[in-house]
Amino acid sequence: MRRLYRENKLLYSCYIAVLTCVSSLALGLELGEVKLSKKADATGYYAWIETFRGSFNFDKTNNLFILVLIGIMLFLLVRNEYSRRSKGCSLFFSLGSSSLLLIGRAFYKENNLDKIFKSVFTMEKAMLILVGYTILIYFIINAVMERLIPKVVHSATLKSYLPKRFKITIWSCFAAIILAWLPYMILCYPCNFTADSRDEIAQFLGDEEVCKTNKTICYPEESTTLLNNHHPIVYTLLVGSFAKMGLAAGNINIAMFLLVILQMAALAWIYSYTVNYIKSLDVPILLQMMALGFFMFYPLVPIYGMTVTKDSLYGACILLVTIQLLKMLTNKRLFFASRREGILTFCSVLGLMLLRNNGLYISIFIFFVLVVIHHKERSNSKKILFCIGIPILLYGGVLLKVILPLCHIPGGSPREMLSVPFQQVARYAVEWGEDGFREDEIKKLDRILCFDGDLEVLKGRYDPVLSDPVKSKFNKYYTKEELKDFMRVWLKLLERHPGTCVMATLNNVYYYFSVDYGKPVIYIGAGSNGAIYGIKNASTTEGARLLLLRTITALKDSSMLGWAFSVGTWSYLFLFAILYIIYQKQYRYLLMILPVIINVIIAIAGPVAYMRYAIQWIVVLPLYGVVIWLCCKESDQTVKSIHVR
């Protein structure tokens, strides 16, 4: 393209005009059929053009703005020459992300793929959208990988930039973060409260009427408590203890506020530690400030920090584990020689498991990967055994297998691991009805899902984006044979109509790869969940809280800034980090990606896809930006060493 740009600018401009038109049309097109309101007698290509025109979404002003913006951007990007490796990586990423964006928009519209495959016309439009998205993303990714990132890394201005009145230390960062979060602490006093938190308090207080998990879990006959490990038992005890102290003192609001203040302080310290660690990697101070600014000013970070939920602290532990893995990669000798790093890794891994049950699976996987990598280094293997193996043993062996059974506290319900098959069976019933089942199959499914043999009841429980209604009537007194029968029937249904089952899962998780989402992304206030135990927000700040909620909702739904409040955006940034590591051939950095990858895979098998699960790893992304920086620098050093030789 550079040669065409130099030798024949007219032909180059025509080429850019075609790309611009296709890309802008892709951004403006609505999925689905559009009926002709005028010239209904039009036929042939004219009818297609009229229908196509009617499905264009932008108004004239916005359309012109987008057209000019894309034209200028492509004119500047396309003329550059990119390496074959960059082109291959960019094409793979652009095609994959465009396809996922298209699928996500279709599910957002109608909870199926009819908006893409319903007719020849919808398929034509979907193909045009796919091509337009791919063109845009392809050239942007190429330019970012081969032009933008190297220029930023080698920028003398960036390296020489120094703030005049702010010195990066762990305590200065801590003070800045707390100061930035102070308005949220005032507005949301005493806390934001969730249904899970309500259940945790009910467990601790033995409140059978409010507790919901006791209806899905079988307790031992000797049990005298409602405590269970559906929600991590440690966090349940923490929340319950503060609530009980508050009720005994006559002011549960102060108790809950103290709890979230401790939680916010822990989060602020961990984020400050992260920025301080980034500083130690000799990253320009402007990038350090950007990481600090993210933790200070991205509103979902303090909002979830003020929410009584284990997810914020769990995400902080994922961040700490990722930092420890990065330390292991960047300075292996110092990491394995330091007792301090061993203790910090030990505490991070243990916290990961204590704050969420799936932390055990993440820790086990990382442990085996590290053992395989370091199996020839005996001293390092011992350190890994101490740092990760012993926490796994303490949690998985001692707590789950000894302490909880001795206290007659049951674990979680197996239904939590069956969200995918439950949701697939329910959608199968919706789409195929009684004709899709044999009579004995319905009976076997009924023994687990308890719908009285009436498929209409099962259909009524189906929510395309949430499996909880289907799981709500799970038979906690099931036998192993009944569960085996259910799984056999599910496998038969999967074999019979695999498309239906795949659609059920995609519909349930599309928010992880889509920029569209119709439900709230945050909790603001205690609401009805907290009111049960007298947890109420201050009436004087009610208007401000409502304004905050409306502002976040408006930003989420806006065309300009909505991307910042969509899980899909952060998912693609995470995938880009992986792509750049592969592009630079710095494969060892994939090790530090493992905690988030496993967490996302587990989340996909969960009951719902929404921001509360994603915030656990969104806070890790500033660290991935640093890894991109390190990859670029190390790649340059490798090239220089080759030239020297």
Side-chain angles (χ1 to χ4, degrees), residues 86-87 90-91 94 133-143:
S86 174
K87 289 178 181 178
S90 298
L91 183 61
S94 60
Y133 281 175
T134 302
I135 290 170
L136 272 178
I137 298 172
Y138 172 77
F139 286 111
I140 289 173
I141 295 299
N142 267 312

Side-chain angles (χ1 to χ4, degrees), residues 344-403:
L344 185 55
T345 304
F346 182 99
C347 295
S348 303
V349 172
L350 188 60
L352 194 69
M353 294 182 287
L354 291 176
L355 287 165
R356 200 167 178 89
N357 294 329
N358 54 15
L360 175 62
Y361 308 117
I362 296 174
S363 302
I364 291 174
F365 191 86
I366 292 173
F367 174 72
F368 279 113
V369 170
L370 291 177
V371 166
V372 170
I373 292 174
H374 298 280
H375 71 281
K376 293 182 179 180
E377 300 165 321
R378 189 172 180 181
S379 60
N380 292 351
S381 298
K382 288 181 178 179
K383 191 72 173 280
I384 291 169
L385 179 63
F386 169 77
C387 297
I388 304 176
I390 292 180
I392 291 173
L393 182 62
L394 289 175
Y395 177 79
V398 178
L399 179 64
L400 296 187
K401 300 299 182 182
V402 178
I403 296 177

Side-chain angles (χ1 to χ4, degrees), residues 228-454:
N228 59 69
N229 201 41
H230 173 83
H231 309 296
I233 189 67
V234 171
Y235 197 76
T236 297
L237 294 174
L238 179 66
V239 175
S241 298
F242 272 86
K244 190 170 184 178
M245 286 188 294
L247 290 171
N251 197 328
I252 192 172
N253 284 334
I254 292 179
M256 288 294 104
F257 186 62
L258 288 174
L259 172 62
V260 295
I261 286 296
L262 289 174
Q263 181 171 285
M264 295 282 271
L267 292 172
W269 187 88
I270 292 171
Y271 298 150
S272 302
Y273 174 80
T274 302
V275 176
N276 200 57
Y277 171 67
I278 291 173
K279 176 186 175 182
S280 71
L281 294 172
D282 196 27
V283 172
I285 196 166
L286 186 59
L287 297 186
Q288 300 169 35
M289 297 291 285
M290 288 174 64
L292 178 60
F294 172 81
F295 293 127
M296 289 173 62
F297 300 118
Y298 183 55
L300 269 57
V301 174
I303 287 173
Y304 274 97
M306 280 295 294
T307 304
V308 182
T309 175
K310 67 269 187 188
D311 298 284
S312 298
L313 290 172
Y314 173 72
C317 285
I318 289 182
L319 177 58
L320 284 176
V321 171
T322 304
I323 289 174
Q324 294 308 104
L325 291 174
L326 185 55
K327 286 180 180 178
M328 191 185 302
L329 293 170
T330 54
N331 201 331
K332 180 178 175 180
R333 183 188 59 80
L334 182 62
F335 176 86
F336 284 106
S338 172
R339 181 178 297 178
R340 177 176 174 272
E341 298 300 340
I343 294 173
L344 185 55
T345 304
F346 182 99
C347 295
S348 303
V349 172
L350 188 60
L352 194 69
M353 294 182 287
L354 291 176
L355 287 165
R356 200 167 178 89
N357 294 329
N358 54 15
L360 175 62
Y361 308 117
I362 296 174
S363 302
I364 291 174
F365 191 86
I366 292 173
F367 174 72
F368 279 113
V369 170
L370 291 177
V371 166
V372 170
I373 292 174
H374 298 280
H375 71 281
K376 293 182 179 180
E377 300 165 321
R378 189 172 180 181
S379 60
N380 292 351
S381 298
K382 288 181 178 179
K383 191 72 173 280
I384 291 169
L385 179 63
F386 169 77
C387 297
I388 304 176
I390 292 180
I392 291 173
L393 182 62
L394 289 175
Y395 177 79
V398 178
L399 179 64
L400 296 187
K401 300 299 182 182
V402 178
I403 296 177
L404 293 187
L406 284 175
C407 297
H408 309 300
I409 297 174
S413 170
R415 72 175 194 154
E416 301 307 316
M417 298 183 291
L418 298 172
S419 292
V420 171
F422 283 178
Q423 197 75 334
Q424 291 180 351
V425 166
R427 187 171 183 124
Y428 189 98
V430 170
E431 292 192 3
W432 299 99
E434 293 187 1
D435 295 336
F437 299 90
R438 295 199 303 267
E439 187 175 343
D440 63 310
E441 291 176 339
I442 295 176
K443 290 180 180 178
K444 291 175 181 178
L445 296 176
D446 186 29
R447 293 190 186 107
I448 296 297
L449 296 178
C450 302
F451 50 88
D452 298 326
D454 186 355

